[in-house]
Amino acid sequence: MRFTTPDGLRAWLDRLAQEIDLIAPTDVDGHALYRPVSSSDEVLLDYERPELSAKDYLLPATEVMLRVEQRGSSVTIEEVLPDRKQVLFGIRPCDAHGLAVIDALFLEQDPPDRYYRHHRERTVLVGMACTRMWEGCFCTSMGGGPMDPTHLDVLVRPGEEGFFLRPVTPKGVAILEGLEVTEPRGEPLPVEEYNEPVPVTEPAKWRPLFGDRIWMRHGERCLSCRICTYVCPTCRCFDVTDRVVEVQPGVTRIERIRAWDACTSTNYRRVAGGHNPRPTKPERLRNRFYCKFCYYPEDFGPLGCVGCGRCILSCPVDIDITEMMRDVAERSGG
Amino acid sequence: MRESANPMRPYLGRLVETRELATGIKLFQVELTEREGNAAFADYRPGQFAFLSAFGAGEAPFGITSTPGRGPLLEFAVNELGHVTHTLHDLEVGDPVGIRGPLGNWFPMEELKGRNILILGGGIGGAPLRPVIHTILDHRQDYGHLTILWAARSPDLLIFTEEFDEWRAAWATELYLTVDQGDEEWTDNVGLITQLLERIAPSPENGVAITCGPPIMIHFVFLTLQKLGFASDQMLTTLEARMHCGIGKCGRCNLGEKFVCVDGPVFWQYEIAGFLEGFL
């Protein structure tokens, strides 16, 4: 454990910002969001759970995968892989946990996702422990916790008079090299408040409930707005499209891009001929929850939810994943 | 695919020939122009699929309708339905295209040797079954009786009509045609493929039925086959799904806990019957 003063931490962040891309929680019109920052002045050190997860920096909302140039009948394809290193500072332990969930599919299943893997390799995760669980948080039910270092390279714990930094991986040790360390003063802040645990039902017990009426009850009010999947640190479905960026006589430049997609959207499974095997909102909502609690753990290992609670807070019609989990637990007998 | 290759990067190819297969459906013959592409497709199998790129419009998955061992050109039957397929239909001979694949599993042609094969193709759903037919015709002595039921909504939507003579002429091979609605010139069967199937009533003994068509057709073909005595390990199909990666990542083709792209697209009926979520 290393201790530094608030000034020491800011000096370290300023140095990082000069050398590599620094992403950190910052205030955007009153909302805490992870954003690229150029100086430590912009970095929030006391903040709630940011409103969006950190996945945008490893699986960007929109990402150019290929640049294609067509000259007459000749085509060249260039792969786009940015090589700058980046540090994600101040991410919450649930966000790192979310990346570990994506890793199970994007890194551990063959073939690995080339782009995600590349971003993962060029990224250092410096997490900030939470000093309480906020509204909607249920990370402790999902195998995480407000001070969980498991999926981080460095865990920072706020203290009474400064910050306690604990390197977790060799990457974490390396990134802390420039940090000015002093004698510890004061104690690390404890977790002030824990939320009630939510029951997690094992994947096999979800199966008999596939035809249950709870999906109709919850799904009827879904608006198919997709916000739950966009704020989710583990939702990773994507769409691939072409964008024509430049047309000149004899030359066309195209970008092949991928963008986040959502299984709660109307067209997710619709094929060109019009057939849609999942035409109703209850079926689509059911798919989202089955993906997280049944399919994903069965196929790839980890549960597909880390309990960050963002989908609960962002849903315009108050669909609450924990309510669903309680219903399933009750229906399946615990 | 080599570890160093980017599975999302298409191999380059060139359109060698296109021809009208049926109303709104064109056959594309594609030549791979990169060494890596030729290596990747050197041993593709009947039932596998690939993404075709029309650069600027995007890419979409298609069952490969050509047959391994029948020359180096790859063939795709493309129904003009969406943005990518509109653009593909507008391409001219010589135009560049991208091809990503081969992807997915395939029909177990080795396992099917010695069995009587029943093929049931509906509309463009016949396209991925064509390499199965060709493979059997090319190794005719390896397989038992071949019965083909070929259907479409109307006569102008029947595909590969110019090959019917070759199919009919083959040893121990029968071809039956049916359309939902005929026209003035149509003298063959009119009615659903399931009605035709019930009438022909092929014996399930030592048989394997392979079907592809609209999901509702697959569903009722399976039911009719069951009535005829076909067991769940005597029925195969290949499913269509919306896909954006083909390598089990993008999530789009999930059928419950399965991905059509990597767990399929070829499935036995007993596999489908065990899925939590239906394909209909």
Side-chain angles (χ1 to χ4, degrees), chain B:
Chain B
M1 199 165 284
R2 286 172 303 135
E3 162 66 13
S4 59
N6 181 347
M8 295 303 287
R9 180 204 185 274
Y11 300 114
L12 293 175
R14 191 175 68 87
L15 209 51
V16 173
E17 200 190 306
T18 68
R19 67 183 160 87
E20 211 71 36
L21 268 188
T23 304
I25 303 174
K26 270 187 179 177
L27 183 78
F28 289 83
Q29 288 192 319
V30 176
E31 173 192 40
L32 290 154
T33 53
E34 292 175 307
R35 196 166 44 82
E36 295 84 356
N38 278 299
F41 279 89
D43 55 358
Y44 75 93
R45 313 285 191 92
Q48 287 196 290
F49 68 96
F51 280 80
L52 257 190
S53 286
F55 293 115
E59 62 175 3
F62 300 95
I64 304 171
T65 197
S66 52
T67 307
R70 282 203 177 193
L73 298 181
L74 294 174
E75 293 179 332
F76 301 92
V78 179
N79 200 356
E80 189 176 2
L81 282 173
H83 183 50
V84 173
T85 53
H86 279 308
T87 312
L88 284 169
H89 270 241
D90 285 343
L91 293 180
E92 287 168 11
V93 167
D95 280 345
V97 290
I99 309 106
R100 207 150 65 69
L103 298 163
N105 67 356
W106 48 84
F107 290 109
M109 297 310 298
E110 281 300 310
E111 225 180 290
L112 297 178
K113 283 184 175 171
R115 314 282 296 266
N116 298 320
I117 309 294
L118 174 63
I119 302 277
L120 302 112
I124 197 158
L129 304 181
R130 181 181 177 237
V132 175
I133 296 172
H134 281 177
T135 302
I136 294 170
L137 296 186
D138 293 348
H139 305 86
R140 195 64 199 89
Q141 67 287 357
D142 291 347
Y143 298 87
H145 207 92
L146 174 62
T147 310
I148 304 167
L149 276 64
W150 212 241
R153 275 178 286 140
S154 53
D156 64 307
L157 291 174
L158 284 167
I159 58 172
F160 298 114
T161 51
E162 72 290 347
E163 298 185 6
F164 290 171
D165 288 343
E166 181 201 343
W167 300 358
R168 284 194 177 105
W171 172 79
T173 301
E174 279 146 32
L175 171 66
Y176 298 91
L177 303 177
T178 188
V179 294
D180 295 353
Q181 256 186 333
D183 56 23
E184 308 83 66
E185 290 163 41
W186 185 255
T187 55
D188 220 316
N189 300 302
V190 175
L192 298 174
I193 195 166
T194 45
Q195 296 170 311
L196 180 63
L197 177 60
E198 273 182 284
R199 210 175 67 235
I200 299 168
S203 162
E205 202 188 324
N206 193 33
V208 173
I210 308 176
T211 187
C212 183
I216 192 80
M217 185 198 108
I218 297 174
H219 175 75
F220 282 105
V221 162
F222 278 163
L223 287 178
T224 310
L225 287 167
Q226 277 164 335
K227 261 199 273 181
L228 293 172
F230 281 79
S232 60
D233 61 354
Q234 289 180 285
M235 296 183 267
L236 275 166
T237 189
T238 172
L239 296 179
E240 179 195 21
R242 183 163 185 160
M243 294 175 189
H244 284 284
C245 74
I247 52 174
K249 301 287 188 251
C250 79
R252 301 300 293 269
C253 65
N254 91 298
L255 198 58
E257 75 280 34
K258 301 289 177 188
F259 287 135
V260 173
C261 68
V262 290
D263 297 309
V266 174
F267 294 103
W268 291 96
Q269 196 274 336
Y270 62 81
E271 295 179 275
I272 288 177
F275 294 168
L276 205 50
E277 190 175 30
F279 66 91
L280 259 189

Side-chain angles (χ1 to χ4, degrees), chain A residues 140-161:
Chain A
T140 49
S141 305
M142 304 310 302
M147 297 189 296
D148 180 19
T150 311
H151 308 291
L152 291 162
D153 294 309
V154 177
L155 177 71
V156 184
R157 280 190 69 185
E160 292 163 341
E161 295 185 45

Side-chain angles (χ1 to χ4, degrees), chain A residues 4-268:
Chain A
T4 191
T5 60
D7 284 347
L9 188 72
R10 289 198 184 274
W12 175 64
L13 289 173
D14 280 327
R15 196 157 335 119
L16 286 179
Q18 281 171 14
E19 291 162 7
I20 57 182
D21 291 340
L22 174 64
I23 320 293
T26 187
D27 182 278
V28 181
D29 298 330
H31 303 273
L33 292 169
Y34 302 120
R35 286 290 161 89
V37 293
S38 52
S39 125
S40 69
D41 298 343
E42 301 168 57
V43 179
L44 297 175
L45 294 177
D46 183 13
Y47 54 100
E48 287 199 7
R49 158 201 51 206
E51 289 175 36
L52 295 171
S53 84
K55 75 175 173 188
D56 200 10
Y57 297 95
L58 293 114
L59 180 64
T62 302
E63 172 168 43
V64 177
M65 293 193 297
L66 304 169
R67 287 205 182 87
V68 181
E69 189 180 287
Q70 187 168 351
R71 287 176 185 271
S73 63
S74 145
V75 173
T76 51
I77 302 178
E78 179 206 343
E79 194 176 47
V80 183
L81 289 169
D83 52 11
R84 273 180 72 85
K85 290 211 176 310
Q86 62 179 7
V87 57
L88 301 190
F89 173 82
I91 66 167
R92 294 303 186 184
C94 58
D95 287 318
H97 188 184
L99 295 173
V101 172
I102 298 178
D103 289 352
L105 174 59
F106 275 32
L107 300 185
E108 286 150 34
Q109 294 288 317
D110 263 347
D113 186 280
R114 191 173 176 86
Y115 297 88
Y116 179 80
R117 182 178 65 182
H118 180 82
H119 295 312
R120 205 73 169 88
E121 282 167 0
R122 71 188 182 94
T123 302
V124 185
L125 305 177
V126 180
M128 180 76 84
C130 307
T131 50
R132 55 166 294 178
M133 287 172 80
W134 290 282
E135 187 191 350
C137 289
F138 59 104
C139 58
T140 49
S141 305
M142 304 310 302
M147 297 189 296
D148 180 19
T150 311
H151 308 291
L152 291 162
D153 294 309
V154 177
L155 177 71
V156 184
R157 280 190 69 185
E160 292 163 341
E161 295 185 45
F163 294 88
F164 295 83
L165 295 93
R166 172 176 158 196
V168 184
T169 65
K171 247 183 180 178
V173 173
I175 196 91
L176 288 180
E177 267 169 17
L179 177 76
E180 195 186 311
V181 181
T182 59
E183 271 301 300
R185 289 200 305 267
E187 291 296 314
L189 298 176
V191 178
E192 275 172 34
E193 197 178 329
Y194 281 95
N195 291 347
E196 279 295 305
V198 182
V200 180
T201 304
E202 62 180 277
K205 288 189 172 174
W206 280 70
R207 291 184 160 264
L209 297 178
F210 197 74
D212 199 281
R213 66 178 183 278
I214 52 175
W215 309 116
M216 182 61 82
R217 185 155 59 75
H218 291 288
E220 261 178 342
R221 66 180 196 270
C222 173
L223 303 176
S224 303
C225 77
R226 302 170 282 185
I227 190 69
C228 51
T229 65
Y230 293 155
V231 300
C232 179
T234 70
C235 275
R236 84 303 157 186
C237 287
F238 62 85
D239 193 274
V240 176
T241 48
D242 277 10
R243 179 166 61 193
V244 177
V245 288
E246 195 184 350
V247 182
Q248 300 242 344
V251 189
T252 307
R253 289 192 182 85
I254 295 148
E255 286 174 347
R256 177 149 295 172
I257 57 176
R258 73 168 166 189
W260 292 349
D261 204 346
C263 65
T264 44
S265 76
T266 318
N267 286 340
Y268 183 81

